């Protein structure tokens, strides 16, 4: 009992927002003018808003957006759709697509369909242009929309998906809050500004080259607690797109490998040259410098000079503790300049505060517990995202019906 209707038959208008230059009308306040980049899946991103003068907006009265209108991105991520809420009724847009649904089409249902895998495929197939792909009003007009027989069913589908979206949004905010809390806790615990119960022998601090630290802590340079190591160089002709042993380059470090070396070469290099041991902290020396990854001990190889590790004396500082220290280090040159990549000298001049081994373990345990909590929330978030994807595939095609 579902129908497939052409989108233009379900709307009272399909138009494009203001397409003339508006820079001369920009203002610190006035009428909001949304751009394609503000349109996200099912919501308007209000970061980096632009305002235009009232008199300029008045010239384009027929372009004003109204509550329940659909805003569709024309460029950037063509087809991405959200619904205009009452708060933004009367605002303007710059070159976005605007559609005003008839009473037989629920705006939120339509937005979910356009943002679904099926909707994205329809928009992708209809895109025009060269390097900068886009969709135009004519393209949008001819998109086919599967329609349940009643408005009530559309609204139930939209409500079910919205409920999952609310759970996802709540989890995302909670994860952000937990990450910020962890970052603050790291700064406090790893610098001694906050001590865990039972470790502070006194409340006195001492002045050092890196500022004030607890009186019972030490300051050491990274080079004094270990030697910088790297794997033997692997040449391009020795790699392949498939194989037994993953070869991580700076672009795939901490991600999925796209290059491999043979078992024979791996065994030779591992047995005759430097190779990390399980638990060593691998560090990116190029790209996003100083990014730590704990080596899991699985057979793999790492690009020389771009990925290094500190073969540290664990009687002084444990890898467990060091993995967190690396996350707050501000790498410097000898003269305090900005580092574009890490060299041995950067390790020589970089100094860190070091507590007792027992306090190192206690600090790392606290931070590890926070990591596990964040990881559990991320797992839960991924579960709900997958649930939403499945619901969209089922509900927006009528394979599952809501009563």
């Amino acid at each position: 009992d579902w129908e497939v209707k052409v989108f233009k038959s379900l709307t009272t208008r399909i138009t494009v927002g203001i397409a003339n230059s508006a820079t001369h009308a920009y203002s610190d306040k006035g009428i909001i003018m949304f751009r394609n980049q503000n349109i996200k899946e099912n919501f308007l991103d209000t970061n980096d808003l632009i305002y235009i003068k009232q008199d300029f907006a008045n010239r384009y009265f027929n372009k004003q957006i109204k509550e329940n209108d659909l805003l569709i991105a024309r460029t950037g991520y063509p087809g991405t759709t959200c619904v205009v809420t009452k708060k933004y009724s009367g605002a303007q847009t710059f070159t976005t697509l605007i559609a005003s649904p008839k009473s037989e089409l629920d705006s939120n249902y339509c937005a979910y369909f356009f943002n679904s895998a099926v909707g994205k495929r329809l928009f992708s197939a209809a895109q025009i242009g060269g390097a900068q792909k886009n969709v135009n009003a004519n393209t949008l007009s001819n998109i086919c929309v599967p329609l349940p027989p009643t408005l009530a069913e559309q609204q139930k589908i939209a409500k079910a998906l919205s409920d999952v979206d609310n759970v996802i949004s709540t989890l995302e905010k909670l994860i952000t809050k937990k990450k910020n809390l962890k970052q603050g806790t790291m700064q406090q615990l790893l610098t001694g500004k906050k001590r865990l119960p039972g470790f502070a022998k006194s409340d006195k601090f001492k002045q050092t080259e890196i500022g004030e630290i607890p009186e019972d802590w030490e300051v050491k340079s990274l080079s004094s607690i270990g030697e910088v190591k790297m794997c033997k160089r692997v040449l391009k002709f020795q790699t392949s797109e498939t194989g037994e042993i993953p070869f991580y380059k700076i672009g795939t470090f901490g991600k999925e490998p796209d290059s491999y070396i043979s078992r024979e070469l791996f065994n030779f290099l591992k047995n005759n040259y430097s190779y990390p041991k399980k638990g060593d902290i691998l560090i990116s020396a190029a790209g996003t410098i100083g990014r730590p990854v704990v080596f899991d001990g699985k057979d793999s190889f790492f690009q020389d000079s771009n990925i290094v590790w500190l073969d540290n004396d664990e009687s002084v500082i444990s890898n467990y503790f060091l993995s967190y220290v690396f996350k707050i280090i501000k790498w410097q040159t000898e003269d305090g300049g900005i580092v574009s990549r890490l060299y041995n000298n950067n390790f020589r001049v970089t100094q860190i505060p070091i507590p007792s081994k027992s306090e190192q373990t206690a600090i790392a345990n606290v931070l590890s517990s926070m990591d596990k909590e964040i990881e559990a929330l991320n797992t839960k978030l991924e579960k709900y995202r997958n649930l939403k994807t499945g619901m969209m595939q089922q509900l927006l095609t009528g394979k599952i019906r809501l009563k």
Side-chain angles (χ1 to χ4, degrees):
D1 56 347
W2 283 42
E3 291 183 88
V4 175
K5 293 191 175 183
V6 177
F7 185 58
K8 62 185 174 185
S9 70
L10 299 169
T11 62
T12 57
R13 71 163 176 165
I14 296 176
T15 188
V16 177
I18 297 171
N20 295 327
S21 176
T23 53
H24 65 282
Y26 286 1
S27 176
D28 292 333
K29 58 182 181 178
I31 304 300
I32 292 174
M33 184 168 71
F34 291 110
R35 295 168 290 171
N36 286 281
Q37 67 199 60
N38 296 116
I39 301 174
K40 306 300 180 184
E41 292 189 10
N42 300 101
F43 75 95
L44 274 168
D45 183 354
T46 55
N47 291 315
D48 196 26
L49 285 180
I50 284 178
Y51 295 85
I52 54 175
K53 296 174 182 175
Q54 180 74 60
D55 59 343
F56 180 77
N58 288 344
R59 289 189 228 166
Y60 300 93
F61 180 80
N62 63 325
K63 304 282 188 181
Q64 276 188 0
I65 57 177
K66 304 185 296 292
E67 183 180 6
N68 291 322
D69 275 353
L70 292 162
L71 292 189
I72 303 100
R74 198 174 64 84
T75 59
Y77 294 94
T80 303
T81 304
C82 68
V83 178
V84 177
T85 60
K86 184 177 181 179
K87 180 178 180 179
Y88 298 115
S89 185
Q92 292 281 4
T93 75
F94 184 71
T95 72
T96 74
L97 289 165
I98 306 166
S100 301
K102 291 179 179 177
S103 58
E104 65 187 285
L105 176 65
D106 180 74
S107 298
N108 289 295
Y109 168 83
C110 188
Y112 276 114
F113 173 71
F114 282 169
N115 292 326
S116 70
V118 175
K120 287 176 180 178
R121 284 198 296 270
L122 292 173
F123 276 104
S124 180
Q127 286 177 20
I128 60 173
Q132 174 77 319
K133 296 293 184 183
N134 69 87
V135 292
N136 56 32
N138 185 57
T139 300
L140 178 62
S141 296
N142 292 295
I143 293 286
C144 291
V145 180
L147 211 61
T150 66
L151 186 66
E153 188 171 356
Q154 294 176 40
Q155 290 169 340
K156 284 181 180 179
I157 291 170
K159 175 67 166 55
L161 294 172
S162 177
D163 287 344
V164 179
D165 266 342
N166 289 336
V167 175
I168 289 171
S169 178
T170 299
L171 283 169
E172 287 173 338
K173 289 174 183 175
L174 182 57
I175 289 168
T176 298
K177 181 180 177 181
K178 294 289 185 181
K179 284 182 176 179
N180 290 338
L181 177 61
K182 182 203 161 189
Q183 189 63 32
T185 303
M186 278 202 303
Q187 290 290 344
Q188 294 287 313
L189 292 179
L190 295 173
T191 57
K193 291 176 181 176
K194 180 180 179 181
R195 305 291 296 273
L196 295 175
F199 289 102
K201 296 177 181 177
S202 75
D203 58 359
K204 293 181 179 179
F205 283 74
K206 61 185 177 184
Q207 192 63 40
T208 70
E209 304 93 319
I210 59 172
E212 284 191 341
I213 65 169
E215 194 174 48
D216 55 326
W217 284 30
E218 293 181 275
V219 170
K220 289 183 179 290
S221 66
L222 289 174
S223 61
S224 73
I225 59 174
E227 183 183 355
V228 178
K229 297 287 186 74
M230 67 183 73
C231 290
K232 180 67 174 174
R233 175 163 294 184
V234 170
L235 301 176
K236 187 174 182 180
F237 78 87
Q238 296 174 304
T239 68
S240 60
E241 292 182 0
T242 59
E244 289 184 78
I245 308 299
F247 176 58
Y248 292 96
K249 298 168 286 187
I250 195 62
T252 56
F253 180 51
K255 303 174 185 176
E256 292 298 315
D258 61 5
S259 190
Y260 297 82
I261 61 173
S262 68
R263 168 69 64 180
E264 181 183 9
L265 178 61
F266 169 72
N267 288 337
F268 174 76
L269 296 176
K270 178 182 178 182
N271 293 329
N272 291 280
Y273 300 96
S274 297
Y275 190 77
K277 62 183 182 296
K278 184 177 181 179
D280 278 343
I281 314 303
L282 302 168
I283 313 161
S284 55
T288 305
I289 63 166
R291 183 162 54 91
V293 172
V294 180
F295 180 46
D296 58 13
K298 294 179 181 178
D299 287 349
S300 49
F301 214 70
F302 304 92
Q303 188 177 36
D304 68 296
S305 75
N306 284 338
I307 301 169
V308 301
W309 68 94
L310 191 68
D311 189 14
N312 51 291
D313 181 354
E314 288 215 71
S315 68
V316 177
I317 185 168
S318 69
N319 276 324
Y320 190 29
F321 180 74
L322 189 60
S323 65
Y324 290 106
V325 172
F326 278 138
K327 293 178 181 179
I328 67 164
I329 283 180
K330 294 180 180 177
W331 298 97
Q332 293 182 335
T333 58
E334 269 187 297
D335 59 1
I338 297 172
V339 176
S340 56
R341 70 171 292 127
L342 293 180
Y343 296 98
N344 285 1
N345 192 53
N346 300 120
F347 287 87
R348 185 175 69 79
V349 301
T350 300
Q351 297 182 309
I352 60 171
I354 301 178
S356 67
K357 284 294 296 296
S358 58
E359 190 168 2
Q360 290 178 35
T361 301
I363 290 171
N365 283 340
V366 169
L367 297 175
S368 177
S369 294
M370 298 179 84
D371 277 337
K372 288 174 182 176
E373 185 180 8
I374 292 169
E375 185 179 349
L377 288 170
N378 275 319
T379 299
K380 190 174 182 180
L381 175 62
E382 188 62 24
K383 174 185 173 183
Y384 275 98
R385 284 174 173 165
N386 291 336
L387 173 64
K388 178 188 170 185
T389 299
M391 287 176 65
M392 290 176 78
Q393 290 171 348
Q394 299 294 317
L395 294 177
L396 295 169
T397 56
K399 292 177 182 177
I400 291 180
R401 305 290 291 272
L402 296 177
K403 295 181 179 179

